[in-house]
Amino acid sequence: HHSTHVYNLQLPLSWQIKNFKMATGIDLSRADIKSGRLNNHFRWHEGIFFGINPHFSRLNANLDLRLDQYSKNLGTQFSHNLSIAYHL
């Protein structure tokens, strides 16, 4: 028998300055794991994120950065995304 209950809290903040949309925030979560084979345990996760989206008449771009920290020897993960679109 195995079950996992995940509790999340996300605190986002977004704003716009002229043609730039920005967003930032934090993620917190706890996973309570009940397992007959692996014993009962829990994992913590903390994350911070930032994104910027400049938009001009035909050009749209996104830059997203994220840093996540996991408990139980899962470590730290940095992820990023960059996308650019030109509308014909």
Side-chain angles (χ1 to χ4, degrees):
H1 177 262
H2 182 91
S3 66
T4 302
H5 297 272
V6 179
Y7 307 95
N8 290 319
L9 173 66
Q10 185 180 71
L11 301 172
L13 175 65
S14 62
W15 67 98
Q16 184 166 343
I17 300 173
K18 297 189 179 184
N19 292 341
F20 292 85
K21 293 181 183 177
M22 289 165 272
T24 190
I26 61 171
D27 284 326
L28 303 170
S29 67
R30 176 184 163 128
D32 288 327
I33 302 159
K34 297 189 186 319
S35 173
R37 199 181 75 191
L38 300 173
N39 296 323
N40 298 341
H41 60 284
F42 64 90
R43 285 192 298 247
W44 283 102
H45 163 253
E46 302 90 23
I48 58 173
F49 59 90
F50 174 77
I52 186 166
N53 173 242
H55 183 75
F56 301 102
S57 62
R58 300 183 82 158
L59 183 67
N60 189 14
N62 290 301
L63 174 63
D64 299 300
L65 305 171
R66 183 174 181 91
L67 183 65
D68 293 286
Q69 173 66 42
Y70 299 91
S71 66
K72 300 292 181 189
N73 300 323
L74 295 175
T76 301
Q77 179 180 3
F78 174 73
S79 53
H80 57 283
N81 176 62
L82 174 63
S83 63
I84 299 171
Y86 183 78
H87 303 278
L88 300 175

